[in-house]
Amino acid sequence: MSAQHLVLMSLAVLVAAFVQGATGVGFALIAAPVIGLVRPELLPVCVLVLMLPLNLYVAWRERGAIDGTGARWITGGRVAGTAGGLWVLAALSAGQLSLFVGASTVAAALVTLLMPAFSPGRGAFVGAGLVTGITETATGIGGPPLALVYQHQPAPTMRSTIALCFLLGELVSLAVLLVTGRVGLPQLQAAALLLPALVVGAVLSRLVHRRVNGRLLRIFVQVFAIVSGLVLLVKAF
C-alpha cells in the first residue's frame, strides 16, 4: 500500500469514525466508497473489521441507553437477513443489486419525511434487521434501515442500540465471509494500519456526541439514508 493511499484512506476512516461516533450512523457510507476507489479488494472485510471496535466503543459509552428489546428483535432479523444477502448476491448482478437497494433506501427515507413520530414495534424491528442483514451482507451498507426505525428515539438510545446491533451483525457477516473464504491477510493488515485513524475519530466524537439533539439527528438520518441510496443508484449506472 502506497503512502498516498494510506493517507487518503486514513482521512476517510477518521471522518467516518467521527460521524458515526457522534450520530450513530455513517461509517460505511463515508469510508467504503473511498476504500473501494483506492483498494477495492479490501471490501467489505476491511470496513467490517474496523467497525467492530468502533461500535463496541459507542455501545459501551452509552450502554445505559440501549434498547435491549429492540436490539434482540433486530438481531434476530439480521441473522435471517444474512442468508438472504448471500442469496441476493447469487441471484442479482452488481448493477441490479445497487439499483434495488438504492431505490428502496431512497423511497424509505422519503416516506419518513411524511410520517408522524412513531414508536417502533416488533414488526418494525424485525423488518429493519432483516433488510439490514440483506443490504449489509450484499452491499456493505446497512445503516439506513436501523437509522430510520430509531429516528424518533432519543439520540443516546439510537446511537447505542444501533452500535450494538451493528456489532452483533458484523460478527455474523465476518463469520459467513470467513467460512466462504473471503477473509484474507491483506484485508486484515489494512484494517490494522487504519486503526489509529479510527481511534482518533472515535475519541473526537466524544467531544460532541452529547450536543447532537433529536431534531438535528432526525434530519441527519434522513439525509444520510437518501444520500446512501443515491450513491448506490449512481454506482449502478
Side-chain angles (χ1 to χ4, degrees):
M1 184 187 304
S2 68
Q4 292 87 345
H5 287 174
L6 179 59
V7 169
L8 180 60
M9 289 192 294
S10 294
L11 287 174
V13 168
L14 190 155
V15 173
F18 174 79
V19 170
Q20 178 137 341
T23 67
V25 290
F27 185 88
L29 176 64
I30 297 170
V34 176
I35 295 176
L37 179 64
V38 176
R39 296 286 300 274
E41 71 276 9
L42 299 179
L43 296 176
V45 174
C46 182
V47 171
L48 290 172
V49 170
L50 285 170
M51 289 182 73
L52 288 176
L54 175 61
N55 286 313
L56 178 61
Y57 166 70
V58 174
W60 177 260
R61 185 183 66 191
E62 297 182 283
R63 57 193 180 278
I66 290 176
D67 174 18
T69 300
R72 285 191 291 272
W73 285 114
I74 288 171
T75 301
R78 176 68 172 77
V79 172
T82 299
L86 292 175
W87 180 86
V88 170
L89 281 174
L92 299 181
S93 68
Q96 292 172 329
L97 181 65
S98 293
L99 283 172
F100 171 76
V101 176
S104 299
T105 301
V106 172
L110 291 176
V111 167
T112 62
L113 290 174
L114 304 176
M115 290 178 63
F118 69 96
S119 297
R122 181 174 61 184
F125 289 135
V126 173
L130 182 66
V131 175
T132 295
I134 295 172
T135 58
E136 190 169 37
T137 302
T139 69
I141 297 177
L146 298 185
L148 291 173
V149 82
Y150 271 106
Q151 63 174 309
H152 295 293
Q153 304 304 307
T157 298
M158 177 180 173
R159 283 191 298 262
S160 59
T161 307
I162 288 180
L164 177 60
C165 293
F166 270 144
L167 178 63
L168 298 175
E170 286 147 14
L171 289 172
V172 173
S173 293
L174 284 170
V176 171
L177 291 170
L178 181 62
V179 170
T180 55
R182 300 188 182 187
V183 177
L185 184 60
Q187 298 160 326
L188 299 178
Q189 290 175 330
L193 290 173
L194 295 170
L195 186 59
L198 181 89
V199 172
V200 173
V203 171
L204 289 176
S205 74
R206 186 180 180 88
L207 302 177
V208 301
H209 76 278
R210 294 186 184 278
R211 302 177 186 177
V212 179
N213 61 44
R215 181 175 178 274
L216 179 61
L217 182 62
R218 184 168 184 264
I219 293 173
F220 175 84
V221 166
Q222 292 165 341
V223 172
F224 162 73
I226 292 171
V227 170
S228 63
L230 291 176
V231 167
L232 289 173
L233 288 174
V234 171
K235 181 180 178 181
F237 289 105

